[in-house]
Amino acid sequence: MRISYDQPFYLFLLNLRTEVNIMIEEYLKIIPKPVNISSKEGVFTLNEQTIILTDLNLKETAEQLKDILLSTFGLNIVIKEDLQTKENNNVIILKLINNEKQLNQEGYDLIVSQDHIKIMASTPNGVYYGIQTMRQLIPLELNGKKNLNLEFSIPCVVIEDYPRFQWRGFMLDESRHFFGKKVIKYILDLMAFLKLNKFHWHLTDDQGWRFEVKKYPLLTEIGSKREGTITARQKALLCSEKQKIPIDGIPVMGYYTQKELKEIICYATERHISIIPEIDIPGHTTAILASYPHLSCTGGPFEVSTRFRVHRDVLCVGNSEIFEFLENVLDEIVNIFPSKIIHVGGDEVPTMRWKECPKCQALIQTEGLNTVANLQSYFTNRIARYLASKGRRIIVWNDILNDDLISSALCQYWINNFNEVLDHVRRGREVVMSEMKTLYFDYPYKLIPLHQTYNYDPIPSNLEEKFHKNILGLEACLWTEFVPTKEILDWETFPRLIAVAETGWSLKNKKNFESFQKRLTSFVPWLDLFKVNYAKKEEY
Ligand SMILES: [Zn+2]
């Protein structure tokens, strides 16, 4: 007899299956939540006799898996580069396959059976993400008992997984405070574990220039050091430039040599993370002006700033030397950073100096720009065209969206002018969402609690479906004016970045804050293992 789909018994079974699957997902506690999980009978036993069998093209990925199993679980296991072998018992198989359905080549299939684990994807990136998921299936509790005959039971499952968005990012401001190489690598490790793939590195601002430029050594000799930092947040928000405000007297300094930048980029690339450097121009440039005051409208002098908010002194766009300077700096950036996208800031640029500057006024006349406001589009388009000649594309903060902005510019939305952002998208252009109200981690949990970050959806509810693909994804930002230490950095960032990772990766209909909270509780031992000083439940 055929069972009709609307018969009560069938519906009962279907409901039961859904319930069971929800329980499976809670039990497997994976973050970000995969697209599909189905549970099977039994467990795979991972031990020192387990062998990794790998495609030749996945040798480095296999080495990464080996390193994880050794460093986290104390298991020293062997890699064999041979998929032809008949060996099918107690093996982890890493395999490249053709699979076009997987978005952006980052998806993977993970099958855990009693005999073997199989991770298949169309790219090493996909296999790497499959490994990150498998890692979460291994119970952490036994960790540390290295003298025992170690065995880990991994539940049998079939997981199909791929990301919702291609841009899943985190921005760190190292101008306001400098954290250094060790902290950056630690962040990259956590990002990779959460399947985040864009690290936006805010390396320059009024309060410090943070990387070596061989042609302009004063950028680091002078621009990377400041005397201290304003103390009270409130004062910082209210103070005018003319007021003399007390500072804490604790010097802030530091920068990356080009050798260190290359080392960090290499570290990120191994983890399938693209680093997007930001050089914020033509505003937020006091550290440049302190080093090379002739690039300003007034001639200075300037000091690397100890206070925050918008600074009225910006690059003198009317001075042709600034283009020579910036092109030389960008040449060095392009030589170091492989990213096809370079962030050139563009936020919070006051025009008062340009109004009074003969050079800027002359440029407005000769270029027929009409108003001082058009100087910034002129400037940004000129920089964009230069970078385009090097095969790179700019991303800018949404402050400078207007009709004149070069059409290839990618926009990063943070605040205001949301209709302009929607217009930009409806003209077929692209946006990354960093909405301040939900994704700015420098705001305390009292203002942006975890659920607010988690429930943010990057696709605006009033955006027509045909433009959804133009929203590339989302990026959380940590501005560090009042983040002097790794401990505070950790506290502001975690667990909110975990929520962002789930929004960036998991399908919208798979997301649920209650489920996330339960899985987060199970995820905490991982944060402990990474030594993250995360915010506790009563704090977020
Ligand atoms: Zn000027």
Side-chain angles (χ1 to χ4, degrees):
M1 191 189 91
R2 206 166 64 86
I3 296 175
S4 164
Y5 286 170
D6 55 9
Q7 278 185 356
F9 179 64
Y10 181 81
L11 291 175
F12 167 76
L13 278 182
L14 201 67
N15 278 334
L16 188 70
R17 215 184 130 217
T18 312
E19 294 277 314
V20 168
N21 268 338
I22 289 169
M23 281 164 55
I24 290 164
E25 288 180 14
E26 303 308 348
Y27 167 60
L28 293 176
K29 63 199 178 190
I30 297 164
I31 299 179
K33 188 183 264 189
V35 173
N36 278 311
I37 302 180
S38 56
S39 170
K40 307 284 169 199
E41 290 268 315
V43 294
F44 173 87
T45 304
L46 176 68
N47 54 33
E48 293 225 311
Q49 285 72 53
T50 304
I51 292 171
I52 302 172
L53 290 180
T54 178
D55 250 327
L56 276 178
N57 297 330
L58 289 169
K59 191 160 182 273
E60 284 167 28
T61 313
E63 290 288 348
Q64 288 174 309
L65 171 58
K66 182 182 162 74
D67 287 348
I68 288 169
L69 293 177
L70 183 62
S71 62
T72 310
F73 302 99
L75 286 171
N76 191 7
I77 72 175
V78 171
I79 300 174
K80 278 191 189 168
E81 290 167 38
D82 181 13
L83 287 187
Q84 306 309 320
T85 171
K86 294 274 178 280
E87 221 163 341
N88 199 24
N89 196 26
N90 201 6
V91 291
I92 302 173
I93 300 165
L94 307 182
K95 193 170 164 51
L96 288 177
I97 50 162
N98 284 325
N99 192 345
E100 286 172 6
K101 72 183 173 183
Q102 292 166 343
L103 177 71
N104 222 17
Q105 312 293 306
E106 294 178 290
Y108 64 91
D109 290 322
L110 167 63
I111 299 164
V112 181
S113 69
Q114 294 186 25
D115 298 332
H116 61 263
I117 295 176
K118 210 181 241 185
I119 302 174
M120 295 171 294
S122 52
T123 63
N125 191 168
V127 174
Y128 182 80
Y129 284 153
I131 289 171
Q132 301 312 314
T133 299
M134 187 197 107
R135 192 175 171 184
Q136 288 191 41
L137 294 174
I138 308 173
L140 263 183
E141 294 79 46
L142 289 178
N143 184 41
K145 300 177 187 170
K146 289 186 183 171
N147 295 327
L148 298 178
N149 185 19
L150 279 181
E151 284 201 336
F152 299 88
S153 298
I154 305 180
C156 292
V157 284
V158 175
I159 293 177
E160 178 201 17
D161 204 11
Y162 50 85
R164 180 179 174 207
F165 292 106
Q166 59 175 281
W167 191 295
R168 306 179 302 279
F170 177 60
M171 187 218 79
L172 180 68
D173 163 18
E174 277 213 278
S175 171
R176 275 58 179 265
H177 280 96
F178 182 75
F179 300 95
K181 194 165 73 174
K182 197 176 157 199
V183 172
I184 299 302
K185 286 184 175 177
Y186 153 89
I187 289 169
L188 292 170
D189 281 338
L190 280 155
M191 285 179 68
F193 188 42
L194 292 165
K195 304 186 179 84
L196 293 165
N197 64 354
K198 306 283 182 203
F199 178 58
H200 167 183
W201 209 356
H202 187 82
L203 285 165
T204 74
D205 215 301
D206 295 306
Q207 297 78 13
W209 180 279
R210 300 285 173 229
F211 67 95
E212 176 191 28
V213 178
K214 297 206 190 275
K215 192 143 195 165
Y216 300 106
L218 298 185
L219 284 173
T220 43
E221 273 173 42
I222 294 171
S224 73
K225 299 166 189 163
R226 70 170 189 262
E227 288 174 4
T229 307
I230 190 165
T231 47
R233 187 179 190 117
Q234 205 52 28
K235 268 188 193 162
L237 293 174
L238 296 174
C239 67
S240 89
E241 280 187 64
K242 285 170 192 154
Q243 282 174 291
K244 194 75 191 161
I245 309 135
I247 57 168
D248 60 13
I250 302 167
V252 176
M253 62 185 84
Y255 68 91
Y256 295 101
T257 63
Q258 294 198 358
K259 191 171 168 237
E260 287 172 317
L261 291 180
K262 285 175 188 161
E263 179 189 331
I264 291 167
I265 292 162
C266 183
Y267 195 85
T269 306
E270 285 168 5
R271 284 153 185 76
H272 304 279
I273 295 169
S274 169
I275 298 189
I276 293 109
E278 179 178 355
I279 158 172
D280 200 350
I281 45 176
H284 288 278
T285 44
T286 310
I288 299 177
L289 301 182
S291 314
Y292 296 97
H294 70 284
L295 299 174
S296 69
C297 289
T298 64
F302 307 94
E303 286 178 355
V304 179
S305 188
T306 54
R307 61 176 192 86
F308 302 115
R309 285 211 85 189
V310 175
H311 292 45
R312 64 193 156 178
D313 283 289
V314 299
L315 296 178
C316 175
V317 176
N319 178 355
S320 61
E321 278 182 66
I322 68 156
F323 291 100
E324 186 192 330
F325 169 84
L326 290 171
E327 286 172 11
N328 287 331
V329 170
L330 289 168
D331 281 350
E332 295 196 26
I333 289 180
V334 164
N335 280 335
I336 297 164
F337 289 90
S339 168
K340 290 284 169 224
I341 295 170
I342 307 286
H343 208 305
V344 293
D347 57 318
E348 301 178 321
V349 183
T351 55
M352 66 183 293
R353 292 298 192 213
W354 294 346
K355 274 180 195 149
E356 297 156 2
C357 171
K359 285 181 185 166
C360 287
Q361 288 302 317
L363 186 68
I364 289 172
Q365 290 299 317
T366 54
E367 292 293 327
L369 299 175
N370 296 323
T371 68
V372 80
N374 291 336
L375 264 184
Q376 194 178 349
S377 305
Y378 167 86
F379 168 86
T380 307
N381 289 345
R382 197 164 155 179
I383 294 295
R385 281 193 297 271
Y386 185 74
L387 279 168
S389 76
K390 307 271 170 187
R392 311 300 172 100
R393 180 181 176 197
I394 61 162
I395 180 168
V396 289
W397 296 104
N398 70 288
D399 305 41
I400 59 169
L401 287 189
N402 68 37
D403 291 347
D404 298 327
L405 184 68
I406 199 161
S407 63
S408 60
L410 181 54
C411 161
Q412 184 166 16
Y413 168 67
W414 69 289
I415 195 175
N416 298 332
N417 306 337
F418 194 64
N419 284 332
E420 284 174 18
V421 174
L422 288 176
D423 284 348
H424 178 84
V425 173
R426 286 177 178 133
R427 290 158 85 183
R429 300 172 186 185
E430 293 173 325
V431 175
V432 173
M433 294 298 199
S434 292
E435 188 194 63
M436 189 180 80
K437 286 183 290 184
T438 47
L439 300 175
Y440 268 30
F441 290 171
D442 40 311
Y443 285 90
Y445 287 91
K446 279 198 176 109
L447 283 174
I448 305 182
L450 182 65
H451 67 84
Q452 198 165 310
T453 301
Y454 185 84
N455 289 325
Y456 174 69
D457 193 72
I459 305 287
S461 55
N462 56 345
L463 183 68
E464 300 76 9
E465 202 175 334
K466 64 177 171 177
F467 298 117
H468 288 190
K469 66 176 187 330
N470 298 52
I471 309 286
L472 299 188
L474 77 168
E475 181 181 297
C477 298
L478 182 65
W479 300 100
T480 59
E481 285 94 334
F482 300 95
V483 182
T485 63
K486 175 192 170 287
E487 284 62 41
I488 301 175
L489 182 160
D490 277 355
W491 189 86
E492 302 269 31
T493 307
F494 294 95
R496 286 187 288 205
L497 189 61
I498 304 171
V500 168
E502 180 140 306
T503 304
W505 182 277
S506 305
L507 297 182
K508 192 179 176 187
N509 64 11
K510 292 275 172 181
K511 280 186 65 191
N512 173 293
F513 186 59
E514 265 182 53
S515 150
F516 176 72
Q517 276 185 300
K518 282 183 197 157
R519 284 176 291 129
L520 188 56
T521 307
S522 312
F523 197 82
V524 160
W526 281 102
L527 295 178
D528 290 331
L529 189 79
F530 277 97
K531 299 191 166 48
V532 180
N533 178 45
Y534 52 89
K536 307 298 179 294
K537 200 165 184 180
E538 58 277 15
E539 296 172 308
Y540 58 69

